[in-house]
Amino acid sequence: MAGLIKLVIFFFCSSVFAFSISLFLHEFGHSIFVYFITGSFPKINFNPLSGGSVLYNVTAPIITFHKILISGGGIIFGLAIGIIIVLSILRFFRSAWATPFILIGFVSTGVNSIMLFVSPFIFNLGDVIKINSLGVPIYVTFLAGGVFLYISLILFVYCLPYFGLDDSCSLKKKCAVILGPVIIYSIIILANTALVQKEKLMYYSDLIILILITLLLGVSIVHYGQKYFVKMRMKAFEIKWFHVGFSLLLSIIIFVLITVKN
């Protein structure tokens, strides 16, 4: 039991850090396209408990294609940098010390894929809704989301050893380590949203439920069907309390930086 608790705390702290950075990368992606299109770098507002936004003023008219790039810039950049981060760490940093960082890549890839895949059918706001309203067909974002969700699933298999898990672990343990921390963090996000952004409570509730369902399906597919599409090549890394302390330190630092910024 002590070992399981250690893994849960480790994954929770790593997730807080990873989600914060992946959200910033998403907003930074919007900013990059704003800069290349307008010539000025916009102001980025973000908070891992309440979302983010990019603020910019445009004096000259922007063509529809450029509007699509700006609206989709967060997803495009998030997917690209997420995949690069995961593949780079898998190649060069096979150690539990890299867990918070490889999780940035997985979270960035997974969440942006989910948004592409289902946003038009569930939400009435968000980047994908803007992209569709600008003329990109729903089936294009749906198919793109499906492809990247499959890629995320494969990356998930290779990331598991960094979470202290491998194919010898039970489904119950995998769910406890991965879903448990996400549920705890989700409750914190919803509590904060209810206090400061009540108008977005339903949106975040739906998104969190969607992420949890996707994670549960992903964990189940990996556990029962892994042998059919990809084999895990590494055994679980040994997670020690030093690693837990490191991930906790990273999560504290990111929240201090955000507090100072805001």
Side-chain angles (χ1 to χ4, degrees):
M1 180 59 70
L4 179 60
I5 292 174
K6 179 170 58 178
L7 291 181
V8 170
I9 296 174
F10 180 58
F11 192 84
F12 175 78
C13 294
S14 298
S15 296
V16 170
F17 172 74
F19 184 80
S20 302
I21 299 299
S22 64
L23 176 60
F24 176 78
L25 290 176
H26 179 92
E27 301 304 333
F28 186 71
H30 288 299
S31 301
I32 289 176
F33 282 91
V34 170
Y35 175 75
F36 283 116
I37 291 171
T38 68
S40 60
F41 201 84
K43 179 181 179 181
I44 300 176
N45 290 328
F46 89 103
N47 188 302
L49 297 179
S50 57
S53 62
V54 173
L55 305 177
Y56 62 96
N57 294 317
V58 178
T59 55
I62 299 179
I63 63 175
T64 300
F65 178 66
H66 287 166
K67 292 179 181 179
I68 292 173
L69 290 178
I70 291 174
S71 296
I75 293 176
I76 295 170
F77 185 78
L79 288 170
I81 199 69
I83 293 173
I84 290 172
I85 288 173
V86 173
L87 294 181
S88 298
I89 291 177
L90 286 173
R91 177 66 177 84
F92 298 108
F93 303 100
R94 296 192 174 186
S95 164
W97 295 106
T99 297
F101 305 100
I102 200 170
L103 198 53
I104 293 173
F106 174 69
V107 170
S108 187
T109 306
V111 173
N112 283 297
S113 298
I114 292 172
M115 295 300 293
L116 272 176
F117 192 62
V118 299
S119 282
F121 311 105
I122 297 178
F123 306 120
N124 56 9
L125 56 91
D127 297 337
V128 181
I129 305 301
K130 293 179 183 177
I131 295 172
N132 294 146
S133 69
L134 289 168
V136 177
I138 291 178
Y139 72 84
V140 172
T141 53
F142 175 77
L143 290 176
V147 170
F148 282 107
L149 268 179
Y150 181 73
I151 293 174
S152 299
L153 185 63
I154 295 175
L155 295 179
F156 180 56
V157 173
Y158 289 111
C159 288
L160 281 176
Y162 290 84
F163 311 149
L165 303 169
D166 55 30
D167 50 11
S168 67
C169 298
S170 67
L171 178 60
K172 183 178 179 180
K173 182 176 181 179
K174 289 173 182 172
C175 288
V177 171
I178 295 172
L179 291 178
V182 176
I183 290 173
I184 295 171
Y185 193 47
S186 298
I187 293 173
I188 296 173
I189 290 176
L190 292 178
N192 178 80
T193 304
L195 289 174
V196 302
Q197 285 184 308
K198 290 183 179 179
E199 70 278 5
K200 288 188 175 182
L201 184 59
M202 186 60 67
Y203 172 77
Y204 282 123
S205 298
D206 292 342
L207 178 58
I208 286 171
I209 290 172
L210 186 60
I211 291 174
L212 289 173
I213 292 174
T214 305
L215 273 177
L216 178 59
L217 288 173
V219 173
S220 300
I221 291 172
V222 166
H223 184 77
Y224 290 113
Q226 175 186 318
K227 62 182 179 181
Y228 296 110
F229 60 91
V230 64
K231 283 291 293 180
M232 192 181 300
R233 296 181 179 179
M234 294 184 289
K235 292 297 182 181
F237 297 137
E238 182 182 0
I239 308 301
K240 300 181 179 180
W241 285 109
F242 291 112
H243 301 124
V244 177
F246 176 65
S247 63
L248 175 60
L249 179 62
L250 289 177
S251 63
I252 291 174
I253 289 174
I254 194 66
F255 264 89
V256 169
L257 289 176
I258 292 170
T259 301
V260 171
K261 176 181 179 297
N262 293 330

